[in-house]
């Protein structure tokens, strides 16, 4: 075969064999050159395209990392549990230290400036207590106070024994009149000399100042007693201080064997009245206990519970946030201390129970709805008592307390009481 190339003047001939050799050599060079980029044998003999090898290995590696999650063994779970318990313990310790700090601060800032027994002296240790119960009263409520003294509030040596043996402190809380050393103040002084059951507050008395009085009560009580709980109750409410079970079935229990008696007494002491109920929440921080309600915000000026700041609660017809009814409620030590130290900046609404709920609504607080703290007067509390479920507190909703309590308190006590020995059997 001959190949002719023309350029103008002559010819040249190239052998066909040389063309074939050149083609083979070029093909070989091309294969060797392209092999660097397109083929690579892995250790198992599989061929993977070179440019994608690293990407595929990364995907496989990432997938393995995602799928192969370590399974915690028992030791790991045990460590997690211990760490959780340690955190809880540390949290309680910090809370306790904060409470002590704020209480000390409050005592120093508010210490007995006006001669009232509102704060202990700097060298006086606070008394330990389980519960401090402040009975809200007024100058004009002497008959109410006497009805309470004659029924559910121990007197004289029994009152002191209650503090020593059960850690229950009960005091009528009252401020002073606008005029220094007035006849009203002198009457309270004489009553205090007779009964020794008042907690005097550095506060000017007045119905529309109950929110301010509540703040001062907590501050005063926290500074004077180191208690687990602080209770506020009105002087027209009947209270069972001790236990709900036991009084009506105690004689039946006496017929049982001694070992069974111990078990039943233990059960009774766990399911108690005011003291027994609070004891169940003793280990919980930041507790707010009462009959929780959410009443309407009243914007009309001519109604009893008018709210001047109704516009803060939204449109007309809205309800308040959930809060305990004002007849009786309890707060734990940390919350009472919070109120004590922050009282200058806590806003006061027209209604005292709303004010307390507002002070606590933004905190990490456990609201405990205890319906036994708002029983009705007989026959309601009487039926419950006969069934062995004695009420913590009884009053008439229509009167926001026991109607004509100075006359009816004894009647309610006879029908709804836990019995005189109920409290003394309580294991607190």
């Amino acid at each position: 075969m001959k190949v002719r190339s023309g350029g103008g003047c002559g010819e040249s001939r190239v052998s066909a064999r040389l063309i074939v050799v050149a083609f083979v050599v070029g093909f070989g060079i091309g294969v060797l050159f392209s092999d660097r980029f397109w083929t690579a044998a892995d250790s198992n003999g599989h061929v993977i395209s070179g440019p994608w090898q690293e990407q595929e290995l990364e995907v496989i590696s990432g997938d393995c990392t995602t799928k192969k999650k370590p399974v915690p063994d028992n030791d790991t779970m045990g460590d997690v549990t211990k760490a959780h318990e340690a955190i809880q313990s540390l949290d309680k310790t910090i809370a306790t230290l904060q409470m002590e700090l704020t209480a000390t601060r409050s005592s120093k800032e508010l210490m007995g400036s006006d001669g009232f027994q509102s704060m202990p002296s700097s060298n006086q240790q606070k008394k330990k207590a389980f519960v401090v119960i402040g009975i809200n009263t007024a100058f004009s409520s002497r008959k109410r106070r006497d009805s309470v003294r004659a029924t559910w509030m121990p007197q004289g040596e029994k009152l002191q024994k209650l503090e020593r043996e059960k850690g229950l402190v009960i005091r009528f809380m009252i401020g002073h009149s606008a005029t220094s050393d007035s006849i009203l103040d002198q009457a309270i002084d004489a009553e205090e000399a007779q009964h020794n059951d008042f907690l005097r507050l550095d506060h000017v008395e007045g119905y529309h100042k109950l929110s301010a009085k509540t703040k001062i009560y907590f501050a005063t009580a926290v500074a004077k007693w180191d208690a687990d709980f602080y209770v506020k109750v009105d002087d027209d409410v009947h209270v069972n201080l001790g236990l709900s079970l036991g009084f009506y079935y105690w004689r039946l229990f006496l017929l049982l064997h001694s070992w069974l008696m111990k078990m039943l007494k233990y059960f009774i002491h766990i399911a108690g009245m005011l003291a027994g109920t609070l004891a169940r929440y003793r280990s919980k921080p930041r507790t707010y206990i009462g009959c929780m309600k959410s009443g309407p915000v009243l914007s009309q000026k001519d109604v009893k519970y008018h709210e001047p700041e109704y516009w803060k609660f939204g449109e007309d017809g809205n309800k308040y946030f959930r809060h305990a009814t004002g007849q009786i409620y309890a707060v734990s030590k940390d919350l009472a201390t919070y109120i004590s130290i922050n009282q200058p900046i806590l806003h006061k609404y027209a209604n005292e129970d709303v004010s307390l709920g507002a002070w606590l609504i933004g905190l990490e607080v456990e609201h405990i709805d205890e319906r036994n703290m708002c029983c009705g007067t007989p026959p309601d509390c009487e039926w419950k008592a006969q069934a062995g479920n004695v009420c913590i507190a009884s009053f008439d909703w229509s009167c926001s307390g026991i109607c004509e309590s100075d006359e009816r308190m004894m009647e309610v006590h006879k029908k709804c009481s836990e019995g005189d020995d109920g409290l003394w059997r309580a294991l607190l």
Side-chain angles (χ1 to χ4, degrees), residues 234 236-237 290-295 304-305 322-328 353 369-378 380 384 393-403 408:
D234 291 337
D236 55 356
V237 173
C291 274
M292 298 296 164
K293 65 173 186 176
S294 181
K304 182 177 181 181
Y305 297 110
R322 191 71 61 179
H323 61 280
T325 186
Q327 285 82 357
I328 181 173
D353 53 352
D369 187 16
E370 181 53 69
R371 306 314 295 179
N372 257 357
M373 295 178 76
C374 54
C375 296
T377 55
D380 179 39
K384 291 177 179 177
S394 303
F395 55 88
D396 297 309
W397 283 104
S398 59
C399 297
S400 298
I402 297 176
C403 299
R408 294 183 59 231

Side-chain angles (χ1 to χ4, degrees), residues 37 80 96 125 142 146 153 177 240 282 301 351-352 419:
F37 297 94
V80 171
T96 301
Q125 291 287 336
R142 174 63 190 261
D146 286 342
M153 180 181 179
S177 63
N240 280 310
R282 206 169 193 171
K301 292 185 178 180
N351 300 304
E352 161 240 346

